[in-house]
């Protein structure tokens, strides 16, 4: 078996360097005296928990933030970037997690915008620019139609446009923030091959990621950050996934074991469900599935293939244009959100701030939300404050929330602790159905393991869990079965024994289906 991390004879020239860089936001020291080199011909992975300082560090390198102390060097010279425009001129490029593209413009127009190379007369020779772009595409094996509007491209092609923008601007140091978050396994492999070509071309590539398997697969060196500091820096071939995880968290993370807790009873039945869009084709079309008590059923799919309409239809946020839904043998198709929740439906919303939490409210107010009128928290129309605060205190204790107490405002909490508040509130009532929508988005590996443990505990108790996730690792770790949504339809259901990233990825791309 070939070594996945062979010794590479790359040029040890530092294309960029951060020297003792620090940056604070009020009393919080986001980056604390960090130094790191970015070498030509190398892929560096930067990992750490949420709030570890990764993005702040890269924003300093790319000129989006100024350091409070320390400095940036490019090609051996100290620089002081006033903006990202200065960084781009100096040969740096960055692909943000949320792409910076104009959907109404063509691929070529997006690549050229801001770098048209106009002549003295102010005119742009588009024929010459097109030829330059086509030559770059051929060099790095890109497959893009230059006249296609970017808004009509799939996600992986839009990412290629972002990378082409950097190459056209002659970027030598390239930064990618969570580059595989929205890619299928096949698209991820294609991206990694592309990054390999950039490395072999003598460029420095930096990826920010929380997917440790990908760190081990693609990087040559890994830097681990915790609480704003650089904890460790090592060649990837000299470390392991578990060692990186321990360094990130400062303790051992135990992944919860997955056991089959499925029971005979049907908890959720979805029959022939369709959901209309305001215009165009159906968002969901004739979709059917069933979940048994104690089952974790995963939903995979490229974003925009019906995941959100399915969740909203089940929760009661959108009406059905056809079909019916039953919960515990009772039809709930016509019931509103509140009635469904009273029947035992819990919802871990993807959008914590807009749907999941009242950010300006206190912890206890969030932990009783939806139950404030129940006997547990109300008497003769008056809120039982002691019981309400006790509820908040119990969630803080039972879900390991880093908070001063139930009176603290949710807005003061980190993303992982906010998610724990939602999980604690939703699971406290021991629901019969849990709809978990990307439950570990934006949380670190410690909080992720904790949330996974609680979801599996709910399934062991007998709750059915519908896990909608863009993270295949999460789906494979927790699910008894995985269904793949493609273009609003179910394109295959795969039992746990047949979960394979490439089969699932092919189904996500609409190529194959399966049944279980």
């Amino acid at each position: 078996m070939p070594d996945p991390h062979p010794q590479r004879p790359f040029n040890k020239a530092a294309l960029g360097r951060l020297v003792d860089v620090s940056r604070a936001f009020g009393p919080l020291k986001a980056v604390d005296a960090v130094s790191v080199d970015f070498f030509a011909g190398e892929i560096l992975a930067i990992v750490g928990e949420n709030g570890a300082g990764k993005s702040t560090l890269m924003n300093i390198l790319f000129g989006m933030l100024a350091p409070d102390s320390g400095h940036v060097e490019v090609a051996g010279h100290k620089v002081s970037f006033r903006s990202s425009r200065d960084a781009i001129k100096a040969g740096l490029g960055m692909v943000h997690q949320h792409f910076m593209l104009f959907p109404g413009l063509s691929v070529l127009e997006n690549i050229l915008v801001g770098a048209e190379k106009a002549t003295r007369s102010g005119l742009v020779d588009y024929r010459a620019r097109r030829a330059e772009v086509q030559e770059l595409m051929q060099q790095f094996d890109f497959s893009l139609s230059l006249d296609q509007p970017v808004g009509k491209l799939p996600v992986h092609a839009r990412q290629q446009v972002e990378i082409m923008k950097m190459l056209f601007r002659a970027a030598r140091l390239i930064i990618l923030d969570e580059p595989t978050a929205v890619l299928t396994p096949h698209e991820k492999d294609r991206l990694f091959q592309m990054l390999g070509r950039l490395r072999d071309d003598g460029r420095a590539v930096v990826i920010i990621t929380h997917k440790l398997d990908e760190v081990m697969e693609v990087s040559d060196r890994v830097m681990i950050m915790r609480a704003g500091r650089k904890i460790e820096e090592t060649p990837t071939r000299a470390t392991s996934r578990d060692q990186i995880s321990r360094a990130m968290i400062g303790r051992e993370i135990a992944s919860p074991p997955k056991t089959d807790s499925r029971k005979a009873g049907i908890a959720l039945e979805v029959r022939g469900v369709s959901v209309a869009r305001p215009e165009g084709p159906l968002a969901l079309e004739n979709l059917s599935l069933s979940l048994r008590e104690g089952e974790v059923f995963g939903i995979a799919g490229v974003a925009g293939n019906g995941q959100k309409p399915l969740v909203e239809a089940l929760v009661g946020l959108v009406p059905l244009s056809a079909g019916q839904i039953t919960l515990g043998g009772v039809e709930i198709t016509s019931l509103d959100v509140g009635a469904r929740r009273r029947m035992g439906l819990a919802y871990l919303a993807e959008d914590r701030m807009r749907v999941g939490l009242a950010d300006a409210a206190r912890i206890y107010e969030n932990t009783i939300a939806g139950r404030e009128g129940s006997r547990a928290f109300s008497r003769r129309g008056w809120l039982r404050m002691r019981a309400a605060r006790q509820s908040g205190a119990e969630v803080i204790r039972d879900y390991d929330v880093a908070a001063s107490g139930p009176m603290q405002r949710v807005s003061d909490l980190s993303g992982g602790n906010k998610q724990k508040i939602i999980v604690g509130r939703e699971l406290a009532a021991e629901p019969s159905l849990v709809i978990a929508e990307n439950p570990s988005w934006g949380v670190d590996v410690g909080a992720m393991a904790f949330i996974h443990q609680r979801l599996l505990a709910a399934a062991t108790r007998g709750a059915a869990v519908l896990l909608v996730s863009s993270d295949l690792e999460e789906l494979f770790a927790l699910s008894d079965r995985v269904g793949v949504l493609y273009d609003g339809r179910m394109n295959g259901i795969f039992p746990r024994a047949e979960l394979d990233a490439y089969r699932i990825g092919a189904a996500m791309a609409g190529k194959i289906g399966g049944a279980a």
Side-chain angles (χ1 to χ4, degrees):
M1 182 175 178
D3 186 347
H5 302 287
Q7 294 280 13
R8 301 183 188 280
F10 58 80
N11 175 15
K12 268 289 185 180
L15 296 185
R17 175 175 289 158
L18 295 172
V19 181
D20 290 330
V21 166
S22 296
R23 172 71 192 227
F25 298 96
L28 173 66
K29 200 146 195 178
V31 173
D32 189 0
V34 172
S35 296
V36 60
D37 291 328
F38 307 99
F39 293 122
E42 185 187 52
I43 298 175
L44 168 68
I46 299 181
V47 300
E49 294 184 273
N50 282 354
K54 310 181 298 294
S55 294
T56 300
L57 191 71
M58 290 301 96
N59 286 336
I60 290 171
L61 176 63
F62 195 55
M64 299 176 73
L65 289 172
D68 295 331
S69 60
H71 66 271
V72 180
E73 293 180 9
V74 175
H77 301 287
K78 185 176 177 180
V79 295
S80 181
F81 295 144
R82 292 169 295 177
S83 69
S84 56
R85 185 183 295 270
D86 290 343
I88 291 168
K89 289 179 180 177
L92 279 68
M94 186 167 182
V95 178
H96 299 270
Q97 190 170 352
H98 302 289
F99 302 145
M100 307 293 186
L101 298 170
F102 297 97
L105 298 183
S106 71
V107 169
L108 180 62
E109 289 166 335
N110 269 277
I111 292 170
L112 297 183
V113 68
E116 293 87 350
K117 303 180 184 178
T119 63
R120 289 183 179 179
S121 62
L123 299 176
V124 177
D125 186 345
Y126 280 100
R127 180 176 295 179
R129 301 292 82 77
R130 176 184 286 267
E132 291 177 28
V133 171
Q134 287 174 330
E135 184 178 347
L136 278 172
M137 285 174 53
Q138 186 173 8
Q139 179 183 349
F140 291 99
D141 195 25
F142 281 56
S143 54
L144 293 166
S145 172
L146 294 182
D147 298 314
Q148 178 87 349
V150 160
K152 294 185 178 180
L153 295 178
V155 173
H156 74 276
R158 278 179 262 163
Q159 188 177 64
Q160 286 191 15
V161 176
E162 285 280 22
I163 295 172
M164 278 300 305
K165 283 169 56 179
M166 293 189 297
L167 297 178
F168 186 73
R169 289 156 178 76
R172 302 298 300 171
L173 198 168
I174 295 170
I175 308 159
L176 299 100
D177 188 3
E178 296 288 356
T180 66
V182 291
L183 302 183
T184 69
H186 295 280
E187 292 165 352
K188 180 208 75 174
D189 288 348
R190 191 182 311 164
L191 172 67
F192 284 178
Q193 290 170 6
M194 193 182 304
L195 297 184
R197 284 193 290 272
L198 293 173
R199 173 190 57 206
D200 296 343
D201 189 52
R203 300 170 200 258
V205 179
V206 184
I207 61 168
I208 303 171
T209 181
H210 72 279
K211 298 182 179 180
L212 301 188
D213 289 339
E214 294 179 2
V215 171
M216 299 305 299
E217 179 181 350
V218 74
S219 69
D220 301 297
R221 182 166 49 107
V222 58
M223 185 181 86
I224 303 154
M225 296 186 68
R226 180 167 10 114
R229 294 175 178 268
K230 181 171 78 173
I231 299 300
E232 189 176 323
E233 184 179 351
T234 180
T236 307
R237 69 195 322 270
T239 188
S240 70
R241 188 188 192 282
D242 289 343
Q243 287 174 314
I244 295 171
S245 179
R246 283 195 297 272
M248 285 170 57
I249 307 298
R251 64 185 189 278
E252 193 79 36
I253 297 294
S255 298
K258 177 70 180 84
T259 57
D260 191 342
S261 55
R262 288 178 289 180
K263 299 172 174 59
I266 299 297
L268 175 70
E269 186 81 30
V270 177
R271 291 193 292 270
V273 163
S274 295
V275 173
R277 301 180 195 270
E279 56 184 30
L282 293 170
L284 284 180
E285 185 173 356
N286 194 31
L287 187 141
S288 297
L289 61 89
S290 63
L291 272 69
R292 286 157 56 184
E293 295 171 353
E295 178 178 26
V296 179
F297 188 100
I299 296 289
V302 177
N305 276 276
Q307 297 94 316
K308 177 63 71 175
L310 173 61
V311 168
E312 292 178 339
L314 294 175
V315 174
L317 294 171
V318 298
L320 306 186
S321 55
Q324 62 179 197
I325 302 169
T326 60
L327 179 60
V330 178
E331 186 175 352
I332 62 170
T333 310
S334 60
L335 298 184
D336 63 17
V337 175
R340 297 184 194 204
R341 289 177 66 79
R342 287 190 292 273
M343 286 188 62
L345 184 149
Y347 177 34
L348 311 183
E350 173 182 275
D351 189 339
R352 286 194 291 263
M353 296 299 94
R354 191 176 65 86
V355 179
L357 293 168
D359 202 42
R362 302 182 190 278
I363 289 175
Y364 83 85
E365 293 170 321
N366 276 277
T367 60
I368 68 168
R371 298 185 293 151
E372 62 275 7
S374 68
R375 288 186 179 182
F377 302 112
S378 178
R379 181 174 296 166
R380 297 191 182 96
W382 291 89
L383 184 65
R384 298 175 59 194
M385 285 299 300
R386 181 177 295 179
R389 290 174 183 168
Q390 182 63 27
S391 169
E394 288 173 357
V395 169
I396 290 171
R397 180 196 66 211
D398 295 345
Y399 286 81
D400 195 28
V401 179
S404 60
M407 297 297 290
Q408 184 173 356
R409 296 194 184 277
V410 166
S411 57
D412 297 333
L413 302 178
S414 71
N417 285 300
K418 289 177 180 179
Q419 188 72 341
K420 287 180 180 181
I421 294 290
I422 297 174
V423 175
R425 179 189 67 217
E426 295 300 301
L427 299 187
E430 297 192 347
S432 59
L433 172 65
V434 180
I435 298 174
E437 187 182 18
N438 281 306
S440 61
W441 258 15
V443 305
D444 57 58
V445 292
M448 182 189 303
F450 189 91
I451 291 166
H452 289 175
Q453 180 186 46
R454 292 301 174 131
L455 289 174
L456 291 180
T460 300
R461 180 183 52 76
V465 178
L466 185 75
L467 174 63
V468 181
S469 178
S470 58
D471 188 338
L472 288 185
E473 285 186 42
E474 180 171 60
L475 289 171
F476 287 11
L478 303 185
S479 303
D480 296 295
R481 293 184 295 158
V482 172
V484 179
L485 282 179
Y486 176 75
D487 199 22
R489 301 179 182 90
M490 189 65 75
N491 190 34
I493 297 176
F494 301 81
R496 184 172 180 82
E498 297 178 15
L499 294 182
D500 173 83
Y502 293 95
R503 287 190 69 203
I504 299 290
M508 289 168 66
K511 294 179 181 176
I512 65 169

